[in-house]
Amino acid sequence: MIVLFTDFGLSGPYTGQVKAVLAQQAPGVPVIDLFADAPAFDPQLSAYLLAAYAPAFPVGSVFVCVVDPGVGTDRRPLVVEADGRLFVGPDNGLFEIVRRRTAAARAWTIEWQPDRLSASFHGRDLFAPVAARLATGQAVARKDIPASAIARPDWPDDLARIVYVDVYGNAMTGLRASHLPPDAVLSVADQRLERGRTFADAGPGGALWYENSNGLAEIAVNRGRADTRLGLRVGSAVTVGS
């Protein structure tokens, strides 16, 4: 299968154009919309989100990952293999946390180029066609590079910031819940939040944090919106205490 992880949004033509390329060049391969609203222009925040959700997909999946504010510059186009999954996208840190958490990673720069490559839409013109070729077993001209060459050693293993706000107003952090003490208290906007197991552990309108279904520490308000009540947005800082 091919998995889309982008900041393109669902309004406008961009996601549809990418899917049209995949339908033409990889007919019969399922295309899964994972995120079309990854943190816009922010590869670092997106990297922690991608790493949390990618392991749920089977080995052999090909991810088209486009959060690419440097599109058209000299940043390298990449294919990264991590635990048998392939990731196609820009060399801007987007694959750093996937690479770091894998047992074995390999990386290549993409040498193949299409007949037409726009300066501003490599998701459609380069990354989607490469993903289609990989998903259908076709050769793609690429050059081996050390996986360490794409590393961002200054990035933390877990990120104490909000990386995504869902349709309910729940705010996901870049923190793995399993790496936090059981009694950890998260502080945001001068409010201390204790850990719960599920939403009902707080009364209606009450705020808490819990381990979401993909392992991230997530902030929620029972029957309400955490983003509105707590003034949270993508990028907001989180403090871990006890």
Side-chain angles (χ1 to χ4, degrees):
M1 69 178 63
I2 297 173
V3 184
L4 298 183
F5 180 95
T6 77
D7 61 355
F8 291 162
L10 294 177
S11 60
Y14 307 117
T15 297
Q17 287 180 288
V18 169
K19 293 177 79 170
V21 170
L22 296 173
Q24 291 168 357
Q25 299 189 21
V29 178
V31 177
I32 306 299
D33 294 299
L34 179 54
F35 284 93
D37 56 350
F41 316 123
D42 200 319
Q44 185 185 37
L45 297 184
S46 298
Y48 292 86
L49 193 62
L50 176 63
Y53 280 80
F57 290 85
V59 168
S61 297
V62 181
F63 289 75
V64 180
C65 303
V66 191
V67 178
D68 193 15
V71 61
T73 67
D74 60 358
R75 63 95 187 92
R76 297 176 294 188
L78 296 177
V79 175
V80 174
E81 182 179 6
D83 286 340
R85 301 173 185 87
L86 293 171
F87 299 83
V88 182
D91 181 12
N92 58 13
L94 186 55
F95 306 130
E96 166 60 11
I97 307 304
V98 164
R99 180 201 68 81
R100 193 182 297 184
R101 293 179 186 172
T102 191
R106 299 176 66 190
W108 301 265
T109 57
I110 298 169
E111 304 295 307
W112 177 87
Q113 283 208 348
D115 294 334
R116 176 180 179 271
L117 179 62
S118 65
S120 60
F121 200 177
H122 287 190
R124 178 196 66 191
D125 297 340
L126 180 61
F127 299 136
V130 167
R133 283 162 170 74
L134 294 172
T136 54
Q138 300 178 57
V140 175
R142 46 185 167 161
K143 179 181 178 182
D144 282 279
I145 59 173
S148 59
I150 68 170
R152 298 296 194 276
D154 55 323
W155 289 11
D157 288 336
D158 291 85
L159 189 66
R161 295 171 66 190
I162 302 300
V163 299
Y164 187 75
V165 176
D166 72 11
V167 67
Y168 300 104
N170 302 328
M172 300 182 197
T173 75
L175 300 166
R176 290 169 290 181
S178 62
H179 286 232
L180 296 174
D183 61 348
V185 173
L186 301 187
S187 296
V188 292
D190 298 323
Q191 181 158 339
R192 288 166 51 88
L193 305 173
E194 295 187 353
R195 184 173 192 159
R197 187 182 65 86
T198 190
F199 309 109
D201 287 343
L208 76 163
W209 78 269
Y210 68 104
E211 180 175 354
N212 77 6
S213 60
N214 286 82
L216 294 177
E218 183 168 309
I219 296 166
V221 168
N222 186 14
R223 305 185 195 183
R225 296 189 62 93
D227 60 340
T228 301
R229 175 174 164 188
L230 301 175
L232 300 176
R233 59 180 179 81
V234 171
S236 293
V238 179
T239 302
V240 180
S242 59

